[in-house]
Amino acid sequence: MKRTFCFRWGCAFLGIIFPAIAAIPCGAQGVADDSLVFIHANLIDGISNAATMDATVVVTKGRIESIGRGAAPAGRGAVVDLTGHWLLPGFVDAHVHVGNLADAKRALRSGATTIGEAGVNHFADIGMRELNHKGVVDVPDVVAAGYHIRTHPADDYFIDFPQDTDLMGGVRGTEAVRRMVQRMVSRGVNRIKVMATERAGTPDTDPRIRVFNDEELAAIVDEANKTGLWVVAHAHGNEGAAAAVRAGVHSIEHGTYLSDDTLRLMKEKGVYLDPTITALVDMSDPEGEYDNPILQMRGKAMLPTGREMTARAWKMGVKIVAGTDTSYFDKNNRTLADEMIELSDAGMGPMDAIKAGTSVSAEELGVEKRTGSIRVGYEADFVVIDRSPLENIRHIGDVVMVVNNGRIALNRLNVAAHP
Ligand SMILES: [Zn+2]
């Protein structure tokens, strides 16, 4: 967000991995500014319903200075020729569990320039958010949630809050849930994550089972709203999800078993749906984050249900966002591109799936005034795709460049453009 792309450093850096632009006059003259100019881009801005061909985008001090057509403005900084490539907003992954810098860097290199955390230990999300804002480490911008509010907090919660040992036997009642929300607020989270049903990704839990009661859910939402935060609710089962929606949550995460009535209520109340279909794909497959035969069987049952629910939700006009529910760990084999492909296949089509993973996710995370779309004044968060994702959404996984706050975080453009 507050990064400055250094012209001299940038030229040296680009020269190493992108020899084609090494010949651009660099800081030697001492006159060119520190801007970065993208020319001949097929631009999908995350908002418009059609692409703009042959676009020119000028980036200065990490932000988008101008968007036009045709030749690069004279006397500006390094020029990146995107002929044949597609320039999109950086991906906004609305649901992750990224808990360390290595994983955060992996997320960024996959195209996620913003991530919405949904439960990590020791407030790693807040630390990474601050490092991003200082511009010192190549990590995505982070919308932090701290620990999940759940009936049995993560063991590590008690390392951070040893004064709460009375909650070790279970978080029950409105005083207890309000206290947990206050703990999160005291550390500076951006949103509150609550578990409204049991988990899907652990063999001994049943994701259809509701956990908190109406009073507890209402207290969680009220306590969060007091400080201007909203609540996102993990819920697979319909009963827990419906209760969370009635309590006033901002989004339903997963929503596998949602009924039409619950979806209708979500539409009425403007509640977002983040179906995280790729997490169900991952559960169904060996390896990945859920390498367990019980979860494979469960995943095989849940996956068609989740896909069908997403198709229904879209037809009913519910706002849908894209989230992976992954930690981007070292064996990670899915990215937000996979989720956008799932959403497109669920009936949204490529352009709306792209919006779900960029501008709509940004809106759900509350960062839509600075990222998630390519607009003048916004952060220069981009991905460059090799071939048209509108022609075939499966091309969206072929990320050849990632720009994060105007700084190039991944560059494979030295490979010739696809004819
Ligand atoms: Zn999750």
Side-chain angles (χ1 to χ4, degrees), residues 69-88:
R69 304 280 292 267
R76 304 307 301 268
V79 175
V80 181
D81 186 343
L82 293 181
T83 301
H85 296 300
W86 295 73
L87 183 67
L88 277 66

Side-chain angles (χ1 to χ4, degrees), residues 71-252:
R76 304 307 301 268
V79 175
V80 181
D81 186 343
L82 293 181
T83 301
H85 296 300
W86 295 73
L87 183 67
L88 277 66
F91 300 155
V92 179
D93 191 336
H95 186 129
V96 303
H97 299 274
V98 175
N100 61 60
L101 284 178
D103 296 350
K105 288 175 184 174
R106 205 171 288 112
L108 179 63
R109 290 171 63 84
S110 79
T113 54
T114 306
I115 53 177
E117 292 276 13
V120 289
N121 291 345
H122 304 308
F123 301 97
D125 47 357
I126 290 177
M128 292 188 292
R129 180 189 72 197
E130 297 310 306
L131 289 173
N132 170 282
H133 291 185
K134 286 177 192 296
V136 292
V137 182
D138 274 329
V139 293
D141 199 355
V142 180
V143 173
Y147 289 90
H148 316 75
I149 308 301
R150 59 190 208 202
T151 47
H152 291 87
D155 288 346
D156 281 18
Y157 174 88
F158 299 102
I159 296 176
D160 288 282
F161 303 105
Q163 64 272 49
D164 283 351
T165 46
D166 61 307
L167 302 182
M168 278 178 164
V171 179
R172 277 298 175 199
T174 56
E175 183 280 326
V177 295
R178 283 184 189 275
R179 194 185 344 148
M180 269 198 91
V181 173
Q182 287 160 8
R183 299 284 188 232
M184 297 307 109
V185 171
S186 73
R187 295 299 181 94
V189 300
N190 303 100
R191 63 177 186 174
I192 298 294
K193 162 83 180 295
V194 63
M195 302 292 282
T197 70
E198 290 188 357
R199 292 181 59 189
T202 43
D204 298 333
T205 51
D206 185 335
R208 288 165 296 202
I209 295 178
R210 170 180 181 178
V211 284
F212 287 115
N213 65 32
D214 284 354
E215 292 69 35
E216 289 159 342
L217 286 170
I220 291 165
V221 172
D222 178 62
E223 197 62 37
N225 289 173
K226 269 186 198 167
T227 52
L229 302 187
W230 54 53
V231 178
V232 299
H234 159 108
H236 288 280
N238 186 59
E239 188 196 346
V245 173
R246 287 195 305 271
V249 299
H250 182 66
S251 80
I252 293 294

Side-chain angles (χ1 to χ4, degrees), residues 44-55:
I44 295 173
D45 65 11
I47 298 288
S48 311
N49 288 324
T52 302
M53 308 307 278
D54 199 24

